[in-house]
Each structure stands twice: as structure tokens, then as C-alpha cells.
Amino acid sequence: MTTSPDATRHAGAAAHRAILPASTDPSLLRNFCIIAHIDHGKSTLADRMLQLTGVVDARSMRAQYLDRMDIERERGITIKSQAVRLPWVVDQTAYALNMIDTPGHVDFTYEVSRSLAACEGAVLLVDAAQGIEAQTLANLYLALENDLVIIPVLNKIDLPAAQPDKYAAELAGLIGGRPEDCLRVSGKTGVGVTELLDRIVELVPHPTGDAAAPARAMIFDSVYDTYRGVVTYVRVIDGHLSPRERIAMMSTKATHELLEIGVISPEPMPSAGLGVGEVGYLITGVKDVRQSRVGDTVTNANRPAASALGEYRDPKPMVFSGLYPIDGSDYPALRDALDKLKLNDAALVYEPETSAALGFGFRCGFLGLLHLEIVRERLEREFDLDLISTAPNVVYDVSMEDGSQVRVTNPSEFPAGKVTEVREPVVRATILTPTEHIGSIMELCQNRRGTLHGMEYLSEERVELRYTLPLAEIVFDFFDQLKSRTRGYASLDYEPTGDQPANLVKVDILLQGEAVDAFSAIVHRDKAYAYGVMMAGKLRELIPRQQFEVPIQAAVGSRIIARETIRAIRKDVLAKCYGGDITRKRKLLEKQKEGKKRMKTIGRVEVPQEAFIAALSSDPAEKDKPKK
């Protein structure tokens, strides 16, 4: 299946791996990552590199080798960046290539930005059958911001639908250069991968740093191991780290003994230390997940560095949702699980929250809907929890008439009283689509309160649309609508650009005149009626009938905008009247009517847990919808 390199080169690579040095000369190191849109073949290309360099033998090899999680393999997407060290020989010189395979989905851009900070070069991968897509552009701009050397590569040239000449010209026009500079490879068959590895050695600059200076290493990722504690991934900038020395975290001032240090190739391989420019892992045996923060600087405790390295930009959560255990006694287990997952996923933000309906839980911030889905599924699988997730919403800033400001992450926090202004987050969206779908996309964006900022033709058949859209309008089904209107050909990328004032209202759901906070929502005034009708109808089906009539009302402030009624269960009090005067029957009916009226004044509507779960949870069918 794979085109192997010549025997000499393969033997050199194997020998280099067998005699892994304590630390490698920085001039023989090349640090690079692979960036691309989702499903353009990053993980498959990484598989071929693993085979060609001899770090994975044929018996151990499997497709998408670096995708370690079951959920990644099932969905066919990369969620976690993976770093791996590859030996490669060029002109009898043995080089060490540190490769990082990155995710392609917009929700995991934070993983990509952290990987770029640990590299000097990036392989920009484009599918030769699909061309440049929205996330390709987003990842390219990230790499350019980090001053990385870009190596353009066209993948999947073996496909019948591939048009390498057309997309090579498109790619060259985008990054500046000649179409013939775009390498053409096939991650599936291995064609061109040898030339790509040679090109990486030739073009990517070697890392620079002061080997004699106090040690400084940047933490770009970390994972939690049940048996070994926190495993920290670092890129050494200056100095040298050795096993059994004491290290210090510069932001937390915590010191630990370095129990093990090594490289990933692609399984952990202990070494005698890490030098300038090297990428590897550290194990200190620490079980407290807060001790190892992504973006922190590791230094030697006895000879500390004077200044820390620049920190990462903290990711800002875009979508908020409540996570509650179905069994209240699982709350401590959920808290511990979120602590451990936070180490593995630095973009996750959470804080405790209490709901009158659902009990104790956490308000969690996510980068997008897929991120929410993945986190919930990982919590359920890896920590054996049963969870309810409430409908996703975004954060609002509310200005009151008295001059006070309120930050609202949950509809129940929306303040009562006179509101001067509500500001909602907006995003700048980039949509790439074939030209025949421009009309339907513009209609969709206008329906979602979008503002067109520009349109640019990348070629005769492909156009780039730039819109400003409220984040609340795209976190639910915007992407699904976009895909269905363009038969799957459009791609979407977005980034936050601040906030804007909007005509938003809080819709309350009343059961027998009492507001149920858990069912409240913040929506645009034009859509308030539709939400009220939908929620009242849903609850009418879910709440069981009582002994008395129950009105379900949707209200904006004190104005009722929708109503449904749950009819009372009526006992047949006339069953024993087998004859006689009508006045006897009427007397019994009047007595029943009085009883119903009295019951209605003192009765309370108990909403069963199942109704809350069904009404509040994100629709389970969402999981089966196509994702970006």
C-alpha cells in the first residue's frame, strides 16, 4: 500500500531511532505541524510518515494511528493534537523531525494555535478534489501570525475527482508563489511523501536557543494518566532538562522532582534529557491537575530563569450550557471528571451552578456545539456518568436604567426591571461555496440577522462570503442549514469580533401562573412568539394530566404571548346514578366543580424529571446530523 523509501535511508532511520541521544544538536531538529480543513487527510498523511520513517512497524500499524480516542476513530475526526518524533536521513545525515498532527474543525482551533507555538514550520494540506476551504484559510492565517514557514501540499491526488493543477494555482495565488512549488502527495498510497519529508528538512529552519542559559520549556499540552498522574508535553526553548532534577512552574511557583523525561516516537520513550528545540514529555508524579497549566514555563528550581515565556491567549468560550448529573449523588464525581478533562482540554471553562429543577451541576463554556457534544460524550464514556445538558446559549451584557451592568450566562440570571440595552456577541463568518449557491446562502444569513461585509471570487466556480452574524443565531442549526442548502459543498469558519446592541427579550414559561426558570430563554423579539408557542406545545405533551386544569403560558414581562391548556382528569361521578331525577345528577356535577376549583387554588403542578430532560436537553437527534 505504501511506497517505501530506499533501503539505505530506511536503515539509517531505524539506526537513528535505536541510538536515541540524550539531546539532539538543534541544527538537526525540525519542528513542524500539519494544518488543514477537516477531512483533508492530515491523519492519513501522518500514518504514511510514521511508516516511512520506521517508527511504527507493519504489524502495529492501523489507520489514523495518532487518533487515540475511541470517539475520534468513530467520528473520523481529530480532537486532540498529537506530537511524535520521526527520524529521517538526508545525504547520510540523521535528522529528528518533531511532527504535530492537529485537528481541522473550527471548534478545536485552540488546539491548533497551541501546536503552532511549538513549531517553526507548517505543512498546509489541501484536498486536491475539494480545494481551499474556510478552515484552510483560518489555519493559514494562524500560521502566518506565528511567522511559520508554510509548505503548500496537495493531498489525495490519486482520487478520480482530483484537479491538482487547478487547486495548485489557487493555492499559489493564496500564499504567493508558483503552482509548481505545491507538492503533490497521496496520504493513502504514499506517493510524494518521501519528497515532502526531504522538503521539510530543506525549508523548515532549525530551532534556535541558548543551550548555556537556565532551562526554559513551554508547556503546550498535558494529559491525565490514572497511574502516572499528569503527563506534561513541553517544547524546550533554552537550556537543558534532565531526569531526577527539581523543576519549577514559573506561574504557580510549584516545584517537583522530574521522575521521567523523554520523547514520543510515537509511544513514550524515556531519554537522558531534552535540549534546545526538542519536543517531549515530563512526568513528575503529581496528581493535582491544577499544577500543570498550559502556557506555563518550566525551569530548573536550583537555577531558575529570569523571565517566563510569553503565555498563550486564553480561549474565550462561545457557547454556554448547563451539565447536570441525572443522579444527584454523582455531583462530586462530575466535579472530579471536569477537573481531569480540563487538563486534557484547556478550552473548557466551568463553574458550579444550581437549578431548582435539576439540582446541582455546572455551567460550562465551550468553543462551539461540536465541542459541547464531544465533552459531554467523553464525560459519559470515560467517567461513566449520566448527564443532562441544557439547551446551549451565549453570554449577554445587560445595561439597566439605573446604570448597573449585568453579565448573563444563563436566562435565569436575566435581571427584572427596566433594561436600557442588551448586547450580544457577534462573529465574523467566512463561507466558501460554489457560485450557484450564493442566493440561498444570502437568504439564510439575512434570516439569521447577518450583515454582508464582502464577497470575493477565488476562482470562476468558488466564492468567499464574509458576514457578521450574532453568535446566538449560528450555535444551533446554522451549519446544518448551510450544508443542506448547498448539497454539502459549503464550508464555514468563524471568529468572535466583539458585541452589538440587539432587541432581545426574556421569554418566561408559566405553569399555573408560576414562572419555571429552567424553561426561560433569551431570544430576539421577532422570534419570541415562535419560541413561546413551541415550548408551550412541547410541555403540553410532556407534563402528565392533573386532577385540575393546568394553563401553560409563555410571557414576555407581564404580557402573555402564547397559551396551551392541560385538561383535567375527570372522574365520572355519575356512574352510580342509574336513574332518577336530573337534579340529583346536577347536584353531583356542581359538587365536583367546586372541588376542582378548590384543588386548583391549592394544587401544585409537579413536573416530572423526564419532562425536564426532554424539554431542556439538546435534541438527541442532533448527534446524528452531519458535522463540519
Side-chain angles (χ1 to χ4, degrees):
M1 178 176 95
T2 308
T3 306
S4 348
D6 58 85
T8 309
R9 176 175 296 197
H10 198 290
H16 177 64
R17 181 178 182 231
I19 52 166
L20 194 67
S23 61
T24 307
D25 178 359
S27 65
L28 301 177
L29 286 172
R30 300 291 185 270
N31 298 327
F32 73 99
C33 60
I34 305 176
I35 54 175
H37 189 81
I38 192 167
D39 200 31
H40 277 212
K42 294 179 297 300
S43 299
T44 308
L45 178 63
D47 288 348
R48 297 294 77 73
M49 288 181 173
L50 293 176
Q51 282 187 301
L52 282 172
T53 53
V55 295
V56 179
D57 57 31
R59 184 177 64 177
S60 307
M61 193 62 203
R62 64 176 193 271
Q64 281 78 48
Y65 188 89
L66 294 178
D67 288 347
R68 305 297 174 92
M69 286 186 275
D70 291 342
I71 191 168
E72 288 181 311
R73 307 186 70 78
E74 286 169 19
R75 288 175 176 251
I77 59 174
T78 301
I79 295 166
K80 281 292 296 173
S81 299
Q82 296 289 345
V84 61
R85 183 179 178 125
L86 308 171
W88 191 244
V89 177
V90 177
D91 297 331
Q92 303 302 313
T93 305
Y95 292 87
L97 313 181
N98 289 311
M99 176 191 71
I100 304 180
D101 179 27
T102 63
H105 194 282
V106 61
D107 281 12
F108 303 111
T109 302
Y110 184 60
E111 290 277 330
V112 181
S113 68
R114 285 169 23 210
S115 305
L116 293 171
C119 298
E120 280 80 31
V123 172
L124 181 67
L125 203 62
V126 172
D127 188 329
Q130 292 178 284
I132 296 166
E133 300 203 52
Q135 195 62 24
T136 314
L137 292 172
N139 287 334
L140 170 64
Y141 297 147
L142 275 177
L144 292 173
E145 277 176 29
N146 284 270
D147 294 327
L148 266 57
V149 171
I150 309 294
I151 301 176
V153 177
L154 286 170
N155 192 24
K156 305 188 184 181
I157 58 167
D158 56 307
L159 289 180
Q163 297 174 281
D165 295 334
K166 173 185 171 183
Y167 293 125
E170 207 173 279
L171 196 49
L174 178 67
I175 63 173
R178 299 172 303 167
E180 51 268 29
D181 292 337
C182 298
L183 284 174
R184 303 176 186 202
V185 305
S186 168
K188 186 177 179 182
T189 64
V191 171
V193 180
T194 302
E195 291 76 12
L196 173 57
L197 290 167
D198 287 346
R199 184 73 65 91
I200 289 166
V201 170
E202 176 193 342
L203 296 181
V204 175
H206 64 79
T208 56
D210 186 353
R216 287 198 305 170
M218 177 173 59
I219 300 177
F220 67 90
D221 203 0
S222 38
V223 294
Y224 186 81
D225 185 286
T226 310
Y227 303 104
R228 313 196 72 182
V230 177
V231 180
T232 306
Y233 294 102
V234 296
R235 151 78 192 265
V236 179
I237 306 296
D238 296 321
H240 186 274
L241 290 173
S242 307
R244 293 297 168 185
E245 70 177 352
R246 288 202 73 77
I247 58 169
M249 306 292 178
M250 293 191 74
S251 70
T252 61
K253 309 297 182 193
T255 62
H256 314 287
E257 184 183 358
L258 196 51
L259 301 179
E260 184 177 311
I261 187 169
V263 298
I264 310 287
S265 185
E267 304 305 324
M269 292 177 62
S271 73
L274 293 177
V276 171
E278 290 196 278
V279 175
Y281 69 92
L282 312 175
I283 295 177
T284 58
V286 172
K287 297 282 185 179
D288 184 357
V289 295
R290 291 177 292 275
Q291 297 278 348
S292 185
R293 216 159 51 84
V294 168
D296 201 353
T297 303
V298 178
T299 189
N300 190 303
N302 299 324
R303 190 186 170 214
S307 61
L309 299 161
E311 291 210 352
Y312 294 106
R313 205 169 37 188
D314 281 336
K316 290 184 180 174
M318 309 269 278
V319 176
F320 287 85
S321 176
L323 285 180
Y324 295 86
I326 289 179
D327 182 352
S329 62
D330 283 341
Y331 176 75
L334 176 59
R335 184 183 57 225
D336 294 344
L338 282 167
D339 273 347
K340 289 172 183 171
L341 202 60
K342 166 77 176 171
L343 184 77
N344 208 303
D345 182 355
L348 175 64
V349 177
Y350 59 92
E351 58 182 27
E353 180 183 63
T354 309
S355 161
L358 301 171
F360 292 103
F362 289 89
R363 192 86 193 152
C364 302
F366 306 93
L367 298 183
L369 271 195
L370 180 66
H371 188 207
L372 186 161
E373 253 183 58
I374 296 294
V375 167
R376 178 181 167 176
E377 203 162 326
R378 287 187 68 186
L379 287 168
E380 289 179 341
R381 287 187 186 199
E382 296 173 25
F383 301 96
D384 196 25
L385 295 166
D386 291 320
L387 301 174
I388 308 167
S389 62
T390 62
N393 63 281
V394 299
V395 63
Y396 301 98
D397 288 315
V398 182
S399 302
M400 305 300 291
E401 203 173 55
D402 60 6
S404 61
Q405 299 278 338
V406 182
R407 195 166 181 79
V408 176
T409 59
N410 188 345
S412 62
E413 297 170 0
F414 199 87
K418 293 196 174 180
V419 172
T420 308
E421 185 183 62
V422 182
R423 300 187 72 85
E424 65 176 349
V426 292
V427 296
R428 184 190 295 117
T430 304
I431 301 168
L432 269 68
T433 177
T435 49
E436 66 262 29
H437 301 300
I438 292 174
S440 59
I441 289 177
M442 284 184 160
E443 183 191 3
L444 173 65
C445 292
Q446 282 165 4
N447 290 342
R448 300 300 178 96
R449 300 188 281 131
T451 307
L452 180 65
H453 282 290
M455 184 165 66
E456 192 176 317
Y457 282 83
L458 299 176
S459 66
E460 291 179 7
E461 298 90 23
R462 288 163 67 75
V463 65
E464 176 188 334
L465 297 165
R466 292 185 297 278
Y467 269 92
T468 297
L469 286 155
L471 179 60
E473 296 286 351
I474 68 170
V475 296
F476 286 101
D477 62 343
F478 181 83
F479 186 71
D480 294 332
Q481 289 285 332
L482 182 68
K483 283 292 186 186
S484 62
R485 285 174 184 239
T486 60
R487 303 200 304 277
Y489 283 108
S491 64
L492 169 73
D493 177 57
Y494 59 86
E495 60 177 15
T497 59
D499 55 17
Q500 68 180 17
N503 188 8
L504 301 173
V505 294
K506 179 187 178 187
V507 180
D508 284 313
I509 302 297
L510 312 177
L511 284 181
Q512 215 181 345
E514 287 186 23
V516 183
D517 272 351
F519 295 137
S520 301
I522 300 168
V523 296
H524 193 268
R525 192 176 291 276
D526 294 345
K527 297 186 177 179
Y529 174 71
Y531 175 80
V533 169
M534 180 273 293
M535 204 64 185
K538 206 173 184 182
L539 290 174
R540 181 171 170 262
E541 302 297 323
L542 293 169
I543 296 175
R545 289 169 69 184
Q546 313 286 320
Q547 291 282 348
F548 50 92
E549 191 177 84
V550 178
I552 303 170
Q553 296 165 309
V556 174
S558 58
R559 187 166 62 90
I560 304 298
I561 58 172
R563 173 178 171 135
E564 292 281 354
T565 304
I566 302 173
R567 291 182 60 199
I569 300 172
R570 183 172 179 273
K571 182 181 176 184
D572 188 2
V573 293
L574 304 182
K576 58 188 177 184
C577 293
Y578 49 86
D581 192 358
I582 186 66
T583 54
R584 170 115 177 101
K585 293 182 180 178
R586 194 167 289 147
K587 183 181 174 184
L588 287 170
L589 289 170
E590 287 297 324
K591 190 177 176 184
Q592 183 187 40
K593 191 175 175 182
E594 286 298 317
K596 293 277 184 192
K597 194 181 292 182
R598 190 168 63 252
M599 192 183 287
K600 189 171 183 178
T601 59
I602 62 169
R604 286 180 56 84
V605 182
E606 291 295 331
V607 182
Q609 183 85 340
E610 294 75 27
F612 272 113
I613 295 170
L616 290 177
S617 296
S618 344
D619 184 7
E622 290 283 326
K623 293 194 177 182
D624 301 322
K625 290 183 181 177
K627 291 288 165 194
K628 197 172 9 156

